[in-house]
Amino acid sequence: MAARNPRWGAERLRGELLKLAIRVSKRTVQRYLKKRVPGDGHRWSTFLRNHVTWACDFVQTFDVLFRPIFVLFFLDLKRRRIMHAAVTRAPSDDWCAQQA
């Protein structure tokens, strides 16, 4: 059970064993667990893969005459493609809502 769920601690494993009517103490479970490598859990890439699929970016840039231009991007992170891009000189709340 610990090999298939490497992030489970002794208390969680003990709880699962109790559900199977196996009564052991937390200390007993700790004794048989392998020492874990220090870390904060899942990697950032795992979080992105499981939870985040789209991203949005709002960028200000300048044209050839140095006038400000605002660009709104919507990106699909799984495919790594720009799904929508819109450009304006004067962004407003209504314009942003329409693009979304």
Side-chain angles (χ1 to χ4, degrees):
M1 195 181 310
R4 289 187 179 215
N5 303 291
R7 298 295 175 196
W8 284 8
E11 189 65 37
R12 172 79 184 263
L13 288 169
R14 180 179 175 269
E16 294 297 321
L17 290 171
L18 284 173
K19 290 178 187 177
L20 299 171
I22 302 172
R23 295 178 55 88
V24 291
S25 70
K26 179 181 170 183
R27 181 66 188 126
T28 302
V29 175
Q30 286 175 335
R31 199 174 303 140
Y32 289 99
L33 279 177
K34 289 182 181 178
K35 298 293 181 201
R36 292 196 317 184
V37 177
D40 60 346
H42 296 288
R43 298 182 185 275
W44 181 247
S45 60
T46 305
F47 174 80
L48 289 176
R49 185 173 55 251
N50 292 337
H51 299 287
V52 179
T53 59
W54 285 64
C56 176
D57 196 7
F58 196 62
V59 180
Q60 179 184 3
T61 186
F62 299 95
D63 65 3
V64 178
L65 300 175
F66 297 104
R67 294 177 295 191
I69 296 176
F70 298 90
V71 184
L72 179 65
F73 290 102
F74 287 95
L75 308 167
D76 184 356
L77 297 177
K78 292 196 185 260
R79 296 183 193 161
R80 296 185 180 193
R81 293 183 184 224
I82 297 174
M83 299 306 291
H84 181 72
V87 180
T88 186
R89 292 200 184 278
S92 65
D93 292 338
D94 294 333
W95 180 82
C96 291
Q98 180 183 6
Q99 300 308 316

